[in-house]
Amino acid sequence: IKVFLVEDEYVIREGIKKNIDWQAHGYEFCGEAGDGELAFPMIQEIRPDIVITDIRMPFMDGIELMHKIKEKYPYIKLVIISGYDDFQYAKEALIHGVLDYILKPINAREMSEVLQKVKDKMDTELEEKQSIQKLRKLYLENQPIIRENFLNRLVLGNIKAKALQEEKKTGLIRMGEYKYWATALAQIYQIEQKDHGETMDSQLASIYIRNLIRNSISDDIYYEAFYNPLGECILFGMNEPEEMEKILLKLNDIAKESKRVMKIKAAIGVGKIKDELIKVKESFEEAK
């Protein structure tokens, strides 16, 4: 953890620098300056983790330096050094992102305690960041399952309007872009024997239908295909009811293709168009 010191009084600066065993506490003393104006370019170059700065200094005081650092490098932790007369000033600085302050005269024990507090906070923040990253990775890995679960809840009517609004923020499906909605349900009702005598098993047939749907529906039709215990379910989004005609033709082609190529007879039920996404439960019932 890199520590940078800004203090205009040379004796105090040297005392802080020499009286703390930086390495023993897990720190690297990475630089120093006599005022904020000199310090800021050095901080930009070194990028320390912690900046300890006096409040009253010539040219650029600690408060101005603090604002500059927070604006450009919000991750840098700040500790203020202040005299007794500046105590109120130091407390005010705490409101603006300073983690702690040290009153003069400074002793090594007090400085070490403050640095340990800052280090503990940094460790906690790192743990939280790592936990969030793990959760985000886990969410991305499980997104197909989460999406399928959401869509099934939607067509089964197990999601309320308020919860649906919250789901919009996740971006799982493009809910806000379409005015009309309808569902279709594809079910295999017969698998015929092929010319060479082989019959496809039902699991492979289901996978074939699923891939056929995904590969056959053109990009200009918005749809979400997902597995349902009753078969392969498809949710369609439209801006005009007339778009349904193109969807029906495409579904008819899928049923014909399945029978012609793989001897799989599939029935595809289609529900009526609904003017709200929350109403697709009705469309799903009609599709069944």
Side-chain angles (χ1 to χ4, degrees):
I1 297 175
K2 294 192 289 187
V3 181
F4 191 94
L5 176 63
V6 191
E7 167 60 64
D8 63 321
E9 293 184 51
Y10 177 77
V11 174
I12 295 175
R13 198 163 72 242
E14 284 296 298
I16 293 171
K17 188 167 69 172
K18 291 178 179 177
N19 290 326
I20 293 174
D21 190 346
W22 300 96
Q23 286 190 339
H25 291 87
Y27 305 111
E28 176 196 342
F29 188 87
C30 65
E32 60 183 295
D35 68 75
E37 196 169 77
L38 289 170
F40 192 62
M42 295 171 73
I43 289 165
Q44 286 180 296
E45 187 178 342
I46 297 168
R47 304 285 177 88
D49 301 293
I50 301 171
V51 171
I52 303 167
T53 179
D54 195 0
I55 285 183
R56 291 202 184 185
M57 296 180 294
F59 307 112
M60 186 193 293
D61 67 16
I63 297 297
E64 189 180 346
L65 175 63
M66 178 193 76
H67 284 308
K68 278 181 169 288
I69 292 170
K70 275 296 170 189
E71 187 178 342
K72 196 156 188 182
Y73 309 108
Y75 60 87
I76 292 178
K77 307 303 178 195
L78 298 167
V79 175
I80 288 284
I81 300 170
S82 73
Y84 183 76
D85 293 340
D86 302 321
F87 182 60
Q88 194 60 39
Y89 205 21
K91 284 204 296 184
E92 189 181 325
L94 292 175
I95 301 167
H96 300 287
V98 174
L99 286 184
D100 214 329
Y101 63 89
I102 304 168
L103 284 174
K104 295 178 182 178
I106 300 162
N107 62 66
R109 182 188 59 79
E110 188 181 12
M111 177 64 81
S112 296
E113 285 175 0
V114 169
L115 285 171
Q116 186 59 49
K117 278 170 66 178
V118 177
K119 187 179 177 184
D120 289 345
K121 182 170 176 60
M122 290 175 72
D123 288 342
T124 302
E125 286 177 358
L126 182 62
E127 284 175 16
E128 286 173 357
K129 189 177 179 182
Q130 287 172 340
S131 296
I132 289 166
Q133 286 172 342
K134 283 178 186 174
L135 284 171
R136 190 174 283 119
K137 185 171 180 262
L138 196 64
Y139 173 77
L140 290 171
E141 286 171 355
N142 288 282
Q143 202 167 35
I145 299 166
I146 295 166
R147 174 185 159 279
E148 196 166 272
N149 179 266
F150 163 71
L151 289 165
N152 273 303
R153 282 166 55 218
L154 181 65
V155 298
L156 292 171
N158 294 333
I159 188 163
K160 304 296 181 190
K162 189 177 179 182
L164 187 59
Q165 291 301 315
E166 287 298 313
E167 292 284 358
K168 278 186 182 182
K169 298 171 188 174
T170 67
L172 279 175
I173 67 169
R174 286 150 53 187
M175 288 186 256
E177 297 180 33
Y178 298 94
K179 297 177 185 175
Y180 301 98
W181 302 88
T183 58
L185 182 66
Q187 289 182 339
I188 296 166
Y189 64 88
Q190 188 179 356
I191 304 171
E192 295 180 347
Q193 198 175 67
K194 292 186 181 178
D195 297 336
H196 49 73
E198 186 185 352
T199 304
M200 183 182 284
D201 68 52
S202 58
Q203 283 189 325
L204 280 176
S206 296
I207 291 168
Y208 171 75
I209 292 292
R210 184 175 303 175
N211 286 328
L212 183 59
I213 288 167
R214 284 162 171 76
N215 294 329
S216 300
I217 300 176
S218 53
D219 292 338
D220 59 340
I221 297 172
Y222 174 68
Y223 74 99
E224 297 286 345
F226 56 101
Y227 172 77
N228 179 276
L230 295 174
E232 191 68 13
C233 193
I234 318 163
L235 173 69
F236 293 100
M238 297 158 277
N239 281 318
E240 299 295 336
E242 291 74 22
E243 293 174 44
M244 196 67 199
E245 186 178 345
K246 183 166 61 174
I247 290 168
L248 289 170
L249 288 170
K250 185 58 70 177
L251 293 174
N252 193 44
D253 288 343
I254 288 167
K256 285 181 179 178
E257 181 80 359
S258 172
K259 183 182 176 184
R260 184 181 66 82
V261 177
M262 301 300 288
K263 305 291 186 186
I264 299 170
K265 291 182 178 179
I268 305 177
V270 186
K272 291 177 183 176
I273 297 169
K274 306 300 171 185
D275 58 2
E276 287 183 70
L277 184 59
I278 198 76
K279 294 178 184 176
V280 292
K281 177 185 183 293
E282 301 164 19
S283 186
F284 180 67
E285 289 298 321
E286 291 155 0
K288 281 199 292 183

